[in-house]
Amino acid sequence: MLGTQLRHLLELLDGDVMKIYEELGVEDLRPRYVPVVRALREHGPLSIRDIATKLRVTHSAASQTVNQMAKDGLAELRPGTDARQRIAHLTPKAEALIPIMDAEWDATEAAREQFDGELAYPLSTLVAEAIALLERRPFRERIHYDGPPAPPS
């Protein structure tokens, strides 16, 4: 149930940011792209692994996001020094959207601070604590499952 609730919460949050993009007439921009664009702008071209590390997401999540960004014309993937390595670069289309992303980021951060203040416990603090706890001791280690019950005799 917790996973379902968290996915729904993320849908509510990201869905409203998407509505802002739509109202602005910005196509091909997704909330999950903005942290990647910000990382590439700050650090220059990065490997998928480096993006994952900087954003604290899985390699798979970073790869999926960057691949979708490439399909939407916001990122370009080039080979790295290793044949398996791919380096993400921002496209001119992404660069042109940075002022909109920056303004939306600032507005979203202000809204997040206000939202946190309305909660009994700041969501940003709670999420950070949950991540830290699960990095120290994964959820799998917390689950005590002995397999399915024995069939009735």
Side-chain angles (χ1 to χ4, degrees), residues 22-126:
E22 290 167 7
E23 290 168 5
L24 293 170
V26 179
E27 296 181 15
D28 300 326
L29 184 57
R30 306 284 173 266
R32 71 181 198 198
Y33 295 174
V34 177
V36 175
V37 171
R38 292 173 63 87
L40 293 173
R41 181 179 65 181
E42 182 178 344
H43 302 285
L46 293 168
S47 69
I48 302 298
R49 183 167 314 286
D50 288 340
I51 291 170
T53 299
K54 290 188 183 313
L55 300 183
R56 297 185 73 197
V57 298
T58 64
H59 183 275
S60 176
S63 181
Q64 288 174 14
T65 298
V66 172
N67 284 331
Q68 188 61 50
M69 288 175 65
K71 287 179 186 173
D72 289 337
L74 300 174
E76 180 183 346
L77 290 166
R78 299 178 193 162
T81 55
D82 179 333
R84 296 169 295 156
Q85 188 181 50
R86 298 178 307 148
I87 307 297
H89 298 256
L90 292 178
T91 64
K93 180 179 176 180
E95 296 278 354
L97 292 174
I98 286 176
I100 293 170
M101 285 186 245
D102 285 346
E104 179 274 320
W105 183 272
D106 291 343
T108 299
E109 278 300 298
R112 183 203 51 80
E113 287 177 17
Q114 181 183 12
F115 182 64
D116 271 358
E118 294 175 27
L119 295 169
Y121 306 98
L123 182 62
S124 58
T125 302
L126 185 59

